[in-house]
Amino acid sequence: MKKTLKLKIFASFMLLIAMLAVAGTISIFEFRWLSNSVHGLIQDNYKSIEASKRMIEALEREDSGILLLLLGEWEGGRKILNSADSSFTAAFELAKSNLTESNEEQYIEKIESAYHAYKAVWERPIVDTDKQGNIEWYKDDVHKKFIETMSAINDLMALNQSSMYDEVTELREKSKRAIMPGIVSIISALVFSLILNFFITRYFVNPISELADAVNNYKEGDRMLRSNITSDDEIKKLEKAISNLLQRLVSNYNTLK
């Protein structure tokens, strides 16, 4: 098959485009994966962590409400407890509906059990009972259950924080792999450009220079150019056309002479 210059140059640039297209496709795929992973990370682990923080805040408010009840402040204490209990329940339901880790359900059950035990303590009357002003009861019973509930919530938060850290570490490694195709494509494009420049010089620039030298060195009376062009392309075709022209000119000159 005859390989023309047009075909050679076109094939060279198509190969370069194909290399860049493959590298770009891989990079796009990797970055899309990263985007989806980051979205999942924010929607899952972060949501559970925020729910845990809200439960802790509600618990601390409930502890303040219990202390008011110990001081005999029935109305203020019950108002704080009811509001904090609603906040805790809402945050707990959010965490319960957002199970993302394999054993997270066990942490939720532990929180639920600990909170029920803690709530059972302050649901019963405190004001105008023997519990009012009873610091020993608060320290040995209420505060103990408070700490157990708080510890269960902190365990859930630690689980999601650890999972988030692991996912971030994995995303960091993935981001490096996503960048690599771009780096490889740039290096490949540079190397290929050098190779392409070499072949253009060898098969295009040098033959043209050879043809120009042959024309400049043409001696009167010669019937063809003296060149070393061995390719079978447009430049060889041009050499033959010039040689044919020279032959006709020499023939016409001899005829006229």
Side-chain angles (χ1 to χ4, degrees):
M1 180 179 178
K2 188 175 181 179
K3 297 181 179 179
T4 65
L5 284 174
K6 183 179 179 180
L7 179 61
K8 292 176 182 177
I9 295 174
F10 177 76
S12 299
F13 280 105
M14 286 303 297
L15 180 58
L16 180 59
I17 292 172
M19 291 169 59
L20 294 175
V22 170
T25 302
I26 296 174
S27 295
I28 291 172
F29 175 80
E30 291 290 342
F31 279 113
R32 285 189 64 184
W33 184 92
L34 284 174
S35 177
N36 294 334
S37 298
V38 170
H39 179 75
L41 177 66
I42 294 175
Q43 293 297 319
D44 297 334
N45 295 113
Y46 186 74
K47 187 183 293 184
S48 294
I49 292 172
E50 284 299 306
S52 299
K53 289 180 178 179
R54 287 166 54 187
M55 283 189 282
I56 290 174
E57 291 174 358
L59 271 183
E60 291 173 343
R61 287 166 55 201
E62 287 179 6
D63 187 55
S64 299
I66 293 173
L67 291 175
L68 285 177
L69 293 179
L70 286 175
L71 295 174
E73 298 287 340
W74 184 87
E75 184 176 353
R78 297 307 305 183
K79 183 177 180 181
I80 291 175
L81 283 170
N82 291 335
S83 174
D85 179 54
S86 298
S87 298
F88 184 94
T89 301
F92 175 77
E93 291 299 326
L94 176 62
K96 187 176 181 180
S97 64
N98 189 52
L99 302 178
T100 58
E101 306 304 318
S102 58
N103 57 342
E104 191 170 0
E105 187 175 1
Q106 300 175 6
Y107 290 80
I108 294 294
E109 292 174 354
K110 184 179 178 181
I111 293 173
E112 187 174 25
S113 176
Y115 184 69
H116 282 168
Y118 176 63
K119 185 176 179 180
V121 173
W122 57 259
E123 273 188 318
R124 294 190 293 269
I126 296 176
V127 179
D128 295 331
T129 68
D130 59 343
K131 296 175 183 177
Q132 182 176 335
N134 191 341
I135 299 301
E136 291 298 323
W137 169 75
Y138 172 81
K139 182 183 70 175
D140 296 337
D141 195 358
V142 180
H143 190 66
K144 181 180 179 181
K145 290 181 172 58
F146 170 81
I147 294 299
E148 289 175 352
T149 308
M150 187 74 73
S151 176
I153 297 172
N154 283 326
D155 289 342
L156 175 64
M157 186 184 300
L159 172 69
N160 282 278
Q161 287 175 335
S162 176
S163 176
M164 181 179 288
Y165 177 80
D166 293 339
E167 289 186 37
V168 168
T169 302
E170 183 179 355
L171 288 175
R172 188 181 296 112
E173 295 301 319
K174 282 286 186 179
S175 65
K176 293 179 182 178
R177 288 197 290 270
I179 294 173
M180 285 306 297
I183 296 175
V184 171
S185 65
I186 292 173
I187 295 175
S188 299
L190 291 174
V191 173
F192 187 78
S193 297
L194 294 175
I195 296 174
L196 182 60
N197 180 70
F198 169 78
F199 281 104
I200 288 177
T201 301
R202 179 175 179 180
Y203 293 107
F204 187 71
V205 177
N206 289 345
I208 291 178
S209 297
E210 178 74 22
L211 183 59
D213 291 339
V215 172
N216 291 330
N217 295 327
Y218 172 74
K219 295 180 180 180
E220 185 178 351
D222 289 345
R223 289 184 171 271
M224 59 183 302
L225 293 177
R226 301 180 183 274
S227 67
N228 297 320
I229 299 175
T230 57
S231 60
D232 187 18
D233 51 30
E234 287 87 349
I235 296 178
K236 187 65 176 179
K237 184 178 180 181
L238 177 60
E239 180 201 27
K240 291 179 180 179
I242 294 174
S243 294
N244 292 334
L245 176 60
L246 290 175
Q247 289 178 14
R248 289 197 299 272
L249 290 174
V250 171
S251 297
N252 291 337
Y253 176 76
N254 291 334
T255 302
L256 293 173
K257 187 177 179 180

